[in-house]
Amino acid sequence: MPDVQHMKATMRRYADLFNAGDHVAVADLYADDAVIEDPVGKRPVEGRAAIEKFYADSIAAGAKLVAHEVRGSYGNRSAMRFSADLPGLHIDGIEVMTFDDGGKVVRMEAFWGPDDFQAV
Amino acid sequence: MPDVQHMKATMRRYADLFNAGDHVAVADLYADDAVIEDPVGKRPVEGRAAIEKFYADSIAAGAKLVAHEVRGSYGNRSAMRFSADLPGLHIDGIEVMTFDDGGKVVRMEAFWGPDDFQAV
């Protein structure tokens, strides 16, 4: 079972690395066969190569993340409220990450829907 | 697929009904075979009778909920940040609900861990 402090720190580190523009370091937080569902209900991003491209594209688009409240659990998952700003777009969401025993993220799910973003 | 506005409204209604002390109405939001994991990683509460008792006990203990930001998705799940106050205890968490096609909650997961509550 991953340590709860590790899980919470990973969520904040995720935002920091993303904002530093380091898509490889962001992808390194994930297990090789990880799955990203962002937003939940849309086609998932699966596996290391696709995940690295997903973050490279997001960073290239000018996206920036803010990690707000981060919450743990007694299991292998943690959650945080986040916001994201892209040129012309603001998104408010909640993210859940699931970890493997080695502390890598095996699944990331971002909850935001049709009325959780707005043109800015 | 449940409507995103229904999912978000259900999360707020859940807190309202809970705070009104109506454990039966809260349990009515759930499907008969629903599962509650609160907190995530602890033993789940499964099925209508157990769910009704879970909320009856929580309400009898004097718990009150605040629904903060509620977020949707493009699937059958929604999420919210919440806080809960019980006599002597404050909890900060994030909840995820999964819905069936009829709009009932089939799974509720509450993310809060060992450092997300405090004696007050």
Side-chain angles (χ1 to χ4, degrees):
Chain A
M1 186 79 78
D3 178 76
V4 70
Q5 291 308 330
H6 168 79
M7 295 193 295
K8 294 173 91 165
T10 298
M11 297 198 96
R12 295 206 176 273
R13 185 167 162 73
Y14 166 79
D16 291 343
L17 293 170
F18 185 96
N19 292 335
D22 194 342
H23 68 279
V24 174
V26 174
D28 279 343
L29 301 175
Y30 286 89
D32 284 345
D33 58 350
V35 176
I36 293 173
E37 205 179 344
D38 181 3
V40 167
K42 294 286 189 188
R43 185 177 174 158
V45 176
E46 303 184 77
R48 171 66 192 234
I51 287 172
E52 204 169 306
K53 182 177 187 314
F54 174 76
Y55 287 111
D57 291 349
S58 302
I59 288 166
K64 296 290 177 187
L65 287 175
V66 179
H68 299 287
E69 301 86 355
V70 180
R71 306 300 175 210
S73 74
Y74 293 85
N76 64 343
R77 290 185 291 162
S78 57
M80 71 171 176
R81 184 170 73 86
F82 75 94
S83 53
D85 285 286
L86 293 87
L89 189 66
H90 177 84
I91 300 172
D92 287 302
I94 285 174
E95 247 178 54
V96 172
M97 286 185 173
T98 305
F99 294 77
D100 66 17
D101 287 343
K104 294 282 189 180
V105 180
V106 293
R107 188 170 190 93
M108 188 275 266
E109 296 158 322
F111 292 84
W112 56 276
D115 60 353
D116 297 317
F117 63 88
Q118 51 190 312
V120 288
Chain B
M1 186 80 76
D3 177 75
V4 70
Q5 291 308 330
H6 168 77
M7 295 193 294
K8 294 173 90 165
T10 298
M11 297 197 97
R12 294 206 178 274
R13 185 166 161 73
Y14 166 78
D16 291 342
L17 293 171
F18 186 94
N19 292 335
D22 193 342
H23 68 279
V24 174
V26 174
D28 279 343
L29 301 174
Y30 286 89
D32 284 345
D33 57 351
V35 175
I36 293 174
E37 206 180 342
D38 181 2
V40 167
K42 294 288 188 185
R43 184 179 175 155
V45 175
E46 302 184 78
R48 171 66 193 232
I51 286 172
E52 205 169 303
K53 181 176 186 316
F54 174 74
Y55 287 111
D57 291 349
S58 302
I59 289 166
K64 296 289 176 187
L65 287 175
V66 179
H68 299 287
E69 301 86 356
V70 180
R71 305 300 175 210
S73 75
Y74 293 85
N76 63 342
R77 289 184 292 163
S78 58
M80 73 172 176
R81 184 171 72 87
F82 75 93
S83 53
D85 285 287
L86 293 86
L89 188 66
H90 178 83
I91 300 172
D92 287 302
I94 285 174
E95 245 177 56
V96 172
M97 286 184 174
T98 305
F99 294 77
D100 65 18
D101 287 344
K104 293 282 188 179
V105 181
V106 293
R107 189 171 188 93
M108 187 276 265
E109 295 158 322
F111 292 83
W112 57 275
D115 60 352
D116 297 317
F117 65 88
Q118 53 190 310
V120 288

